[in-house]
Amino acid sequence: MSTSYPLGISFEFFPPSTDAGREKLIGVRDALAERHPRFFSVTYGAGGSTQGRTLATVRSIREAGITTAPHLSCIGSEKAQLRDLLAQYREEGIDSLVALRGDLPSGMGGIGELRYANELVEFIREETGDHFEIAVAAYPESHPQAPSFERDLENFARKVKAGANLAITQYFFSADAYFHFVERARALGVEAPIVPGIMPITNYTKLARFSDACGAEIPRWIRKQLEAYGDDSEAIVKFGTEVVSRLCQRLLDGGAPGLHFYTLNQAGPCLRILDNLA
Ligand code: FAD
């Protein structure tokens, strides 16, 4: 596999909540580090609910010697809390972030002082200048709460222009949705690279649940085929690997600047896809 595309590959993890999960992640990290990713990233729970675990995971992931970007969401947080966290990240030598609004879990406090990701990006730039490389989220199939595709695209452009260096997309299974989004974003003056987010397919029930929640469409032909496999997880993995490998190849051939994998803390599915790429 050649990684001649400019932004290479990156891998996203979630902070494990058990000792077994933490131990397993070290092995996953090491297996993926061998593919020379440009960076790893670690997700963050809205309102700071995983703050300690995100930081602990970032520390352990960074031991592999690869840039590691904590995700940071603003919803449900006060500026003072975010300021302290940014200062702590700087002290630890962290220089990359994924900046998000996040989603407030039901029943959890108020919105906080920053309502949207563009306000968080502005805040980070005001507080820390150019210290951090900032990535933001993009939605080729539209954010589920957006009133329209156009409005969402304008909001995306605003967020990049507030000072983001790159964007990572929500996962999708239609390469055309990605190319259309990139073209429309360029027309609005967005120059930052837009890296496709890639979700390996390994489990139909989980994929359907995630996709319903985040608004990613599973095309009918993929859904029907996965349904037909029932409990045959080997067949699901084989088919899922083929489908997602073809998607990745098409994205790269069409000019995508890199690939960002939602690993779900597993190395195998990402490695199988990477092994299939030319
Ligand atoms: P925003 O860009 O703020 O957009 C949210 C909605 O508000 C959109 O509908 C948008 O159109 C609208 N909007 C944006 N700006 C404005 C404005 N100024 N005025 C009016 N409307 C506006 N979630 C987590 O909790 N933790 C994570 O670690 C995490 N990591 C993620 C990583 C990636 C790459 C992606 C794609 C998503 C991630 N998410 C994560 C999910 C994300 O938090 C949710 O999708 C959330 O609902 C939106 O976050 P955002 O930063 O895209 O929000």
Side-chain angles (χ1 to χ4, degrees):
M1 183 205 58
S2 107
T3 49
S4 56
Y5 25 102
L7 294 189
I9 49 177
S10 49
F11 297 108
E12 178 174 316
F13 306 112
F14 63 83
S17 52
T18 63
D19 286 343
R22 282 185 277 277
E23 210 165 297
K24 182 184 152 217
L25 189 56
I26 302 293
V28 171
R29 171 200 79 182
D30 290 344
L32 295 175
E34 285 180 15
R35 302 303 174 107
H36 307 294
R38 182 162 172 269
F39 67 92
F40 287 138
S41 79
V42 181
T43 62
Y44 184 84
S49 54
T50 67
Q51 188 169 316
R53 278 194 285 131
T54 295
L55 181 56
T57 308
V58 167
R59 283 182 182 142
S60 118
I61 293 290
R62 286 179 85 212
E63 284 170 10
I66 288 166
T67 298
T68 304
H71 294 206
L72 177 60
S73 64
C74 59
I75 197 123
S77 294
E78 300 305 320
K79 286 182 179 176
Q81 184 189 355
L82 295 167
R83 188 175 290 120
D84 287 351
L85 193 52
L86 290 171
Q88 187 171 12
Y89 285 156
R90 281 185 80 158
E91 268 170 36
E92 302 237 355
I94 291 165
D95 55 10
S96 298
L97 292 172
V98 180
L100 304 142
R101 182 197 73 175
D103 293 306
L104 208 53
S106 55
M108 199 178 137
I111 285 180
E113 288 179 89
L114 303 171
R115 286 167 313 154
Y116 296 107
N118 67 292
E119 296 172 16
L120 176 62
V121 174
E122 269 164 35
F123 178 74
I124 297 170
R125 288 291 177 231
E126 274 163 25
E127 294 286 321
T128 62
D130 287 336
H131 177 79
F132 292 103
E133 176 176 279
I134 303 178
V136 290
Y139 301 86
E141 297 178 327
S142 218
H143 184 265
Q145 292 156 1
S148 68
F149 179 83
E150 303 298 326
R151 195 64 65 77
D152 202 35
L153 195 67
E154 285 161 19
N155 290 332
F156 169 69
R158 181 185 301 114
K159 165 164 80 170
V160 176
K161 287 174 186 171
N165 303 95
L166 75 147
I168 301 171
T169 76
Q170 184 56 274
Y171 70 86
F172 55 84
F173 297 106
S174 155
D176 287 333
Y178 169 80
F179 292 126
H180 172 252
F181 181 85
V182 173
E183 195 181 303
R184 296 295 311 276
R186 298 284 176 253
L188 284 186
V190 172
E191 290 175 6
I194 301 172
V195 178
I198 304 297
M199 178 67 88
I201 298 177
T202 56
N203 177 310
Y204 175 55
T205 316
K206 274 192 197 159
L207 181 72
R209 200 177 57 233
F210 282 155
S211 304
D212 283 348
C214 72
E217 187 171 274
I218 309 175
R220 187 176 157 82
W221 67 275
I222 296 181
R223 201 179 266 276
K224 285 286 173 197
Q225 184 65 76
L226 291 171
E227 276 169 9
Y229 287 134
D231 293 336
D232 186 347
S233 52
E234 210 176 297
I236 291 175
V237 167
K238 184 168 179 289
F239 171 73
T241 304
E242 281 167 17
V243 167
V244 179
S245 302
R246 268 203 306 273
L247 171 69
C248 291
Q249 192 65 60
R250 215 184 135 204
L251 292 167
L252 294 173
D253 291 347
L259 298 171
H260 178 83
F261 285 89
Y262 295 107
T263 70
L264 304 182
N265 293 6
Q266 295 184 61
C270 303
L271 295 176
R272 282 190 289 271
I273 294 166
L274 288 168
D275 285 342
N276 285 337
L277 301 183

